[in-house]
Amino acid sequence: MWLDNPRNPKAPLAGLKVLELARVLAGPWAGQILADLGADVIKVESPDGDGTRKWGPPWIEREDGAREAAYYHGTNRGKRGIVADFKNPDDLARVRALAESADVVLENFKTGTLAKFGLDYEVLSEANPGLVYCSITGFGQTGPRAHEAGYDFVIQGMSGFMALTGEPQGQPMKMGVSISDLACGLYAVIGIQAALAMRERTGRGQHVDMALLDCSVGLLASQAMHYLTTGTNPPRMGNEHAQVSAYGVFPVADGEVVLAPANDGLFRRLLSLLGREDLLGDERFTSNEGRLANRAALDALIAGETAKWQKEELLAECGDAGIPAGPINAIDQVFADRQVIARGMQIELDGIPGVRSPFTFSDAELALDRPSPRKGQDS
C-alpha cells in the first residue's frame, strides 16, 4: 500500500511513511505539513468520513461534481485516503498492517481510545520498534484532565490567550484563527522530526505526547515571563505593546496603519519623517521607559501627524527610512500583496486552491502534487 517511489525525490521527507488516524484540525494540519515536505501520508477515515468535509459553506466542487467544504481542503492536501471501520476485523487488520510498516503514526483520538482496537503505541511498537507514534489530545496522556476532550476555543480560554487578547475594557477575545490547534500541529511536526532524528542514533522509535494546552501555554513566551518574574498578570492591551511605545495602530487619511518603531533610533527616524523634530529633545520621549510612562500623550501626538498622510504615501516613506510599518490587510489584500505573490504562497492543485507550507529550501522542494483525497479514494 505504501508508495514504491517517493512522490518527489527532492522533497526533504521523501520516502517517509506516515499513517494518519486523525480528523478535524490539529492532527490533519500536522499530516498536511508532513505531506508537503514529501512524506507519503495515508489518511484513514471512518465510514462517515472526516467531519470537516461537511463544514461548509464555503464549498469546493470537484470536476466530477463532488462537493466538500473548503475547510477540509485547507488541512488535507497531499495525502492518500482510505476508509476503515475499526469494528470490522478485516479493516482493522489492514490498518494494523499499515502501522507495522510505517515510520510514523499520527493520531488525535481521546486518550485511551485506540487501545481498545490494539492501535495504541504499546501494541504497535512491539511489531514495529522503530515506530514514531504521535498522539495529539487536548490535555495529554497524563494528568487529571487526560481523558477529557480538547477544543480550540476552550483551550484558548484555559491557556491565558483570551485573557491577553482584546481591548483592556472589553471582553476577552479568542484569536481569529484556531491558534491552539494550529500551534499544536506545528509542535507535533517538530516532535515527530526530533524523534526520527533520535531514531537515527538509537534505532528505536518512541511515543510523542502532544497536548493542545501544553502547546498553548508554551506560546505564552514573554507574557509568561511577565507573570513568573513579577507575580502579577500581564494586562490585556489591545493593539498596544506592553514593553514598547510608540507601537500600535495609527490613523491615516484613508484608513489605518501599523507602526512599530521598536528602539530609540527608529523612534527618532519616525519623528523626523513626521516633521516633529521639535520632540527629539522632549525628555518624556527620549527613552523607551519614558515613552511607556507617557504613552497616551505620545500616541495622541503621533496620531495627529499620521492622520495627515495617505496610507500608501506614509508606508512608502517609512519603507525608505527603514521604519517598520505596514497595512492592515483583509484576506483578499493579503493574496494580492506582491510579496506574497512573489513567494508563491497561493497554490492550485487540480483546480482546488490552497496555501503552501511556508518552507523554502536551497536544495530541496516541497511535494505539491495532489489535492486532498476524496473519501476512500485509495481503498
Side-chain angles (χ1 to χ4, degrees):
M1 185 64 183
W2 297 107
L3 294 176
D4 294 329
N5 299 304
R7 297 164 51 210
N8 181 346
K10 290 204 68 176
L13 299 183
L16 189 75
K17 296 175 288 188
V18 178
L19 183 65
E20 181 189 299
L21 311 178
R23 61 266 195 242
V24 189
L25 184 51
W29 184 248
Q32 178 172 273
I33 294 169
L34 294 170
D36 274 3
L37 290 169
D40 181 19
V41 180
I42 297 178
K43 180 181 180 71
V44 180
E45 298 180 70
S46 73
D48 292 332
D50 189 320
T52 61
R53 289 180 179 274
K54 301 176 182 178
W55 283 16
W59 304 98
I60 288 178
E61 189 168 311
R62 300 194 193 244
E63 292 180 356
D64 62 1
R67 188 180 78 158
E68 297 141 330
Y71 190 112
Y72 166 77
H73 286 285
T75 191
N76 285 291
R77 177 180 59 246
K79 305 170 188 178
R80 295 188 291 147
I82 66 172
V83 168
D85 182 350
F86 292 169
K87 296 178 181 178
N88 180 306
D90 292 336
D91 284 2
L92 185 57
R94 187 181 189 197
V95 173
R96 285 177 179 163
L98 285 168
E100 288 173 4
S101 56
D103 295 296
V104 176
V105 167
L106 175 63
E107 63 94 2
N108 67 350
F109 283 77
K110 285 178 64 176
T111 299
T113 299
L114 290 182
K116 302 173 185 176
F117 303 100
L119 294 174
D120 54 314
Y121 173 70
E122 286 70 19
V123 172
L124 295 180
S125 62
E126 289 181 4
N128 184 359
L131 179 66
V132 172
Y133 186 105
C134 180
S135 296
I136 296 177
T137 58
F139 301 99
Q141 303 296 303
T142 60
R145 292 183 176 269
H147 291 279
E148 295 182 20
Y151 294 88
D152 177 89
F153 196 178
V154 174
I155 299 298
Q156 286 200 43
M158 292 181 64
S159 66
F161 282 175
M162 291 180 65
L164 296 168
T165 306
E167 292 298 327
Q169 304 305 318
Q171 187 181 54
M173 296 294 292
K174 71 178 181 68
M175 298 188 191
V177 296
S178 299
I179 189 66
S180 294
D181 272 328
L182 297 172
C184 193
L186 290 169
Y187 273 124
V189 172
I190 296 170
I192 287 167
Q193 292 185 103
L196 289 169
M198 188 171 179
R199 187 178 73 175
E200 289 296 307
R201 302 196 309 272
T202 67
R204 299 189 307 274
Q206 60 185 295
H207 190 185
V208 182
D209 174 10
M210 303 300 306
L212 269 66
L213 183 60
D214 293 355
C215 293
S216 295
V217 172
L219 284 182
L220 290 176
S222 61
Q223 301 285 31
M225 293 306 296
H226 178 113
Y227 166 73
L228 295 173
T229 54
T230 69
T232 61
N233 287 317
R236 193 163 63 249
M237 300 190 67
N239 288 317
E240 294 180 345
H241 194 294
Q243 283 80 38
V244 182
S245 181
Y247 191 106
V249 174
F250 292 92
V252 289
D254 54 345
E256 295 171 312
V257 297
V258 170
L259 298 178
N263 59 47
D264 293 343
L266 292 173
F267 176 70
R268 288 193 292 269
R269 288 188 213 173
L270 178 63
L271 289 183
S272 296
L273 187 153
L274 295 176
R276 294 305 305 264
E277 289 88 349
D278 59 301
L279 297 176
L280 290 172
D282 192 318
E283 293 184 357
R284 295 175 298 169
F285 309 135
T286 54
S287 69
N288 185 63
E289 187 173 1
R291 294 193 290 274
L292 285 171
N294 295 280
R295 187 198 301 269
L298 177 59
D299 285 354
L301 286 168
I302 292 178
E305 298 301 326
T306 59
K308 303 172 184 177
W309 292 68
Q310 294 293 316
K311 181 195 305 182
E312 293 302 324
E313 182 186 7
L314 179 58
L315 293 178
E317 292 289 337
C318 285
D320 291 342
I323 299 166
I328 301 172
N329 287 332
I331 303 301
D332 64 328
Q333 294 170 310
V334 172
F335 288 105
D337 186 280
R338 59 183 182 174
Q339 183 66 22
V340 175
I341 293 171
R343 299 290 287 180
M345 290 303 299
Q346 181 177 341
I347 60 174
E348 185 172 302
L349 301 171
D350 293 350
I352 297 175
V355 181
R356 71 171 177 87
S357 292
F359 306 104
T360 301
F361 302 97
S362 65
D363 194 32
E365 301 171 357
L366 295 178
L368 302 174
D369 57 348
R370 62 164 72 101
S372 308
R374 293 173 172 80
K375 188 176 75 171
Q377 73 174 31
D378 300 290
S379 293

